[in-house]
Amino acid sequence: NFMLTQPHSVSESPGKTVTISCTRSSGSIASNYVQWYQQRPGSAPTTVIYEDNQRPSGVPDRFSGSIDSSSNSASLTISGLKTEDEADYYCQSYDSSNPAVFGGGTQLTVL
Amino acid sequence: EVQLVQSGAEVKKPGESLKISCKGSGYSFTSYWIGWVRQMPGKGLEWMGIIYPGDSDTRYSPSFQGQVTISADKSISTAYLQWSSLKASDTAMYYCATTDTAMVIFDYWGQGTLVTVSS
């Protein structure tokens, strides 16, 4: 089984850019798609990135996803931060033995 | 518009049974997997299992195998998550979500069902 490790929290000011990392413990990050879910306080999760870098309709292009094989990690980048982006963000991937593995989540504070 | 509507909050005692539901609409219910995700108070997301309503193929996370049962009734486009004997540690928010493959890529989510187990 592999794990996905995220920073517990990040903070940044409105208008700035923030990047949240998600490091895979074993197996290649590039072998299986990575998704990112946003969970605002008191709300259900929503999907902001799927298949590494695809945005669902309705998700602003301020959100982008990428993969870095050299560090075996995925990243979620949010540019032009808004207070409404304040939320918990979870990465998720899978492999042939594990249909779904979630990262521990990152709390984003926009201050 | 795709919608997943979950049943309402439940308060139960330890040892009681429970079945919560997730009704899908706006898409072909039998053509997409539905997964269940647990979120304990103040904690992260945990994948529990998935079911393909078309043929009831069900996969469980090892952490939840034998602890819960996932089922679906395609005639009413509804998936279920059930417990035969609740424990206080089952207190959590439970979400359903759709994925078009068994390798999970969740796209649409339900609003969540809060289950509280307390004596």
Side-chain angles (χ1 to χ4, degrees), chain A residues 17-33:
Chain A
T17 297
V18 70
T19 297
I20 299 171
S21 63
C22 171
T23 302
R24 181 165 170 157
S25 62
S26 61
S28 172
I29 192 73
S31 295
N32 308 105
Y33 288 128

Side-chain angles (χ1 to χ4, degrees), chain A residues 26-80:
Chain A
S26 61
S28 172
I29 192 73
S31 295
N32 308 105
Y33 288 128
V34 176
Q35 286 59 245
W36 290 91
Y37 306 108
Q38 176 193 66
Q39 187 177 32
R40 293 188 172 114
S43 296
T46 62
T47 305
V48 292
I49 294 290
Y50 68 98
E51 294 180 358
D52 296 342
N53 55 19
Q54 302 299 301
R55 273 179 290 106
S57 61
V59 173
D61 60 6
R62 300 185 297 105
F63 290 79
S64 63
S66 63
I67 296 293
D68 181 356
S69 295
S70 65
S71 59
N72 213 36
S73 65
S75 294
L76 172 69
T77 298
I78 310 171
S79 60

Side-chain angles (χ1 to χ4, degrees), chain A residues 1 33 35 37 39 42-47 50-51 88 90 92-104, chain B residues 37 39 43-48 50 59-62 93 95 100-112:
Chain A
N1 287 3
Y33 288 128
Q35 286 59 245
Y37 306 108
Q39 187 177 32
S43 296
T46 62
T47 305
Y50 68 98
E51 294 180 358
D88 293 328
Y90 295 90
Q92 175 261 316
S93 190
Y94 54 86
D95 66 13
S96 58
S97 303
N98 303 283
V101 175
F102 285 100
Chain B
V37 174
Q39 187 169 39
K43 302 298 185 184
L45 304 177
E46 301 173 88
W47 173 72
M48 302 177 72
I50 51 174
R59 322 274 174 93
Y60 291 94
S61 161
M93 183 71 85
Y95 296 101
D100 65 358
T101 73
M103 294 297 110
V104 166
I105 298 177
F106 287 131
D107 39 23
Y108 297 97
W109 294 74
Q111 84 277 17

Side-chain angles (χ1 to χ4, degrees), chain B residues 6-7 12 14 20 26 32 39 45 49 54 73-74 84 100 118-119:
Chain B
Q6 298 186 230
S7 50
K12 292 288 190 179
I20 63 174
Y32 291 84
Q39 187 169 39
L45 304 177
D73 184 342
K74 58 187 178 184
S84 59
D100 65 358
S118 174
S119 55

